[in-house]
Amino acid sequence: QRFQQDWGVPVDSTISSFNDHPTKLATMFAGGETIDVSQSSPFSFPAFVKQGLVEPLDGLPGIEQYVNDFTGFTKEVAVIGGKPMGLPYFSAIWVWNYYEDMLRRIGAERPFATYDEFIEHCVKAKRDGVCRYPVLWVAGVGLEQLPGTWYALTANRGGQFFDKDGRHMLGAGSVAREALKWWVNTFDKGLDISDPESLKVQFTTSAKAFGAGNNLYRGPNHHYGLNVANDPAQSPIAGKVKVHGFPGDGKTIGVTHVYFLCSANRDKEWAWKLLQYLGGRTKDGNYTQAANLATDAMLGSGYRSVMTSDAVRNGWRPWGDVDAILAMWDKAVYIGEVCNSIYEPWHFPWTDMLNIEVQKALTGQITADQCCDNLIRGIDEAKRRAR
């Protein structure tokens, strides 16, 4: 609407769901349809670039100013081979949530500071009858959902899934394997502190479920889930859901999604104008879309100037502790540093395996060791499927 108001040019939009988007976009492109601007997760973007869907932005008016304002996450995603290939849609980091009233009911003065204390709080909440399942995980199938929980638990412990040369780090005694063992243990019938609904929910659905007030902890998950869990229209416990950082040094992970100029555009000059309305500045020179996303959906920005602006601080304040979240932001590393297979075409089929194998481990069908061994063997299979 804003683009049409400013330029008198209507925009035709096609909407697809997050999980269906990569396939739908590739199909439209292969069918010769005109596409000026599109959106991508960091998991799909490298493939889009390799497939020729993405028009480089170097040399376009104003691109240098945008790149100079990019956050670290954005540079990791949007600058490829030294060339800017996209503008930021939004950024997010993984955090924990807790239900304040329930924490008081177990007699705890503060949320967990260690993973052992996390287990202690959950066991006490279950033993004392405060709740049946103290923790709701984000363990639904997806590119960022279940995998992101394992990535975040591993990164916080100082681990990675692949080294810089692409060799897996999932073997016996690895940080990733030990993190998975710990996670699987929370589902074990002996401990039985994990909500079975965890296996069905993704980011937003888990926030809605947590709003029912049946769990003590939720996470790790995107920070912006607070805009659902603390929304009085959607959550009976609105205002009582608090944000919490990771144990130890607080290390967490983050992502940036991007908008990009499609190589199938009808007019590069006008497509660049449209791209900026979504991922940059509007005609008046403001980051209008980024400010709107902060205010309406608690999304973070891929621009440093927006992240330090009142748009973020005032926009986020109704839902959570802004200073606490921004402090966690400073301890976040890009998800690609933890699992650099996202840059490879075989990441998609391998992630499909990961979702299946980890859910089998969480439900007790296989052990965490068997899960990791299967995923190691699956790397070559994923590479074959991607060729």
Side-chain angles (χ1 to χ4, degrees):
Q1 291 175 343
R2 181 67 177 272
F3 185 87
Q4 186 167 345
Q5 289 169 10
D6 284 352
W7 299 102
V9 177
V11 177
D12 293 326
S13 61
T14 299
I15 298 174
S16 57
S17 67
F18 176 82
N19 289 333
D20 294 338
H21 178 69
T23 302
K24 183 169 185 176
L25 177 62
T27 301
M28 291 174 65
F29 181 80
E33 294 192 44
T34 300
I35 309 164
D36 293 307
V37 175
S38 192
Q39 178 268 335
S40 177
S41 75
F43 307 96
S44 304
F45 198 52
F48 289 159
V49 172
K50 289 178 182 178
Q51 292 164 1
L53 273 74
V54 183
E55 183 90 13
L57 304 179
D58 54 317
L60 290 172
I63 186 61
E64 294 85 359
Q65 288 81 4
Y66 286 129
V67 173
N68 289 337
D69 200 15
F70 281 177
T71 63
F73 293 170
T74 306
K75 288 179 181 177
E76 292 277 4
V77 181
V79 179
I80 298 177
K83 289 186 176 184
M85 304 295 287
L87 297 181
Y89 169 17
F90 74 90
S91 293
I93 62 167
W94 272 250
V95 301
W96 295 82
N97 298 152
Y98 65 94
Y99 179 15
E100 189 175 39
D101 286 2
M102 193 173 285
L103 190 70
R104 292 198 185 107
R105 286 163 61 192
I106 68 169
E109 296 181 356
R110 52 165 176 75
F112 68 95
T114 66
Y115 287 106
D116 287 342
E117 193 171 36
F118 171 85
I119 298 295
E120 291 171 9
H121 285 183
C122 291
V123 169
K124 189 174 192 309
K126 188 175 182 71
R127 184 185 64 228
D128 293 354
V130 174
C131 62
R132 184 178 181 185
Y133 296 115
V135 56
L136 179 69
W137 300 99
V138 178
V141 170
L143 284 170
E144 290 185 62
Q145 293 82 358
L146 179 151
T149 297
W150 189 14
Y151 298 159
L153 292 171
T154 300
N156 178 247
R157 291 166 165 83
Q160 296 173 293
F161 281 68
F162 300 92
D163 66 17
K164 60 181 177 60
D165 296 317
R167 292 184 291 261
H168 77 79
M169 301 181 73
L170 295 167
S174 65
V175 177
R177 186 176 289 225
E178 293 304 309
L180 181 61
K181 287 181 180 179
W182 179 88
W183 190 18
V184 168
N185 187 52
T186 69
F187 282 85
D188 186 86
K189 291 303 179 183
L191 203 55
D192 200 26
I193 59 174
S194 294
D195 195 326
E197 288 298 306
S198 302
L199 301 168
K200 303 175 184 177
V201 297
Q202 300 187 349
F203 296 118
T204 302
T205 49
S206 74
K208 290 180 179 178
F210 193 69
N214 297 325
N215 311 100
L216 171 60
Y217 287 117
R218 169 181 174 258
N221 58 95
H222 282 172
H223 74 281
Y224 59 76
L226 287 166
N227 81 328
V228 173
N230 277 329
D231 178 4
Q234 302 183 71
S235 171
I237 60 172
K240 299 177 181 179
V241 179
K242 305 299 179 181
V243 68
H244 183 51
F246 276 80
D249 62 4
K251 186 176 182 180
T252 184
I253 58 174
V255 293
T256 291
H257 290 234
V258 296
Y259 291 111
F260 64 91
L261 187 65
C262 187
S263 56
N265 68 80
R266 72 199 71 198
D267 183 286
K268 189 172 181 179
E269 179 184 352
W270 281 98
W272 172 234
K273 281 185 170 69
L274 177 60
L275 175 61
Q276 291 179 83
Y277 268 63
L278 295 168
R281 297 184 178 91
T282 46
K283 191 175 183 180
D284 58 9
N286 295 319
Y287 285 119
T288 304
Q289 172 79 329
N292 287 343
L293 292 173
T295 302
D296 297 341
M298 204 183 175
L299 298 178
S301 174
Y303 293 107
R304 289 180 290 111
S305 63
V306 178
M307 286 302 297
T308 57
S309 71
D310 289 341
V312 164
R313 188 165 293 278
N314 295 334
W316 291 5
R317 187 170 290 121
W319 298 305
D321 185 334
V322 180
D323 289 332
I325 299 170
L326 291 177
M328 296 170 199
W329 211 280
D330 291 339
K331 299 175 182 178
V333 298
Y334 178 56
I335 197 170
E337 294 184 28
V338 181
C339 188
N340 59 27
S341 63
I342 70 169
Y343 299 111
E344 303 296 335
W346 52 268
H347 180 77
F348 273 93
W350 189 71
T351 301
D352 290 341
M353 295 181 198
L354 187 154
N355 277 290
I356 294 169
E357 297 298 326
V358 173
Q359 281 214 340
K360 285 165 64 177
L362 295 177
T363 53
Q365 299 175 62
I366 60 175
T367 67
D369 283 321
Q370 290 171 324
C371 173
C372 289
D373 290 343
N374 290 344
L375 289 174
I376 291 170
R377 286 192 292 270
I379 293 171
D380 287 338
E381 173 60 23
K383 290 179 179 178
R384 282 194 295 271
R385 288 169 57 186
R387 280 199 284 269

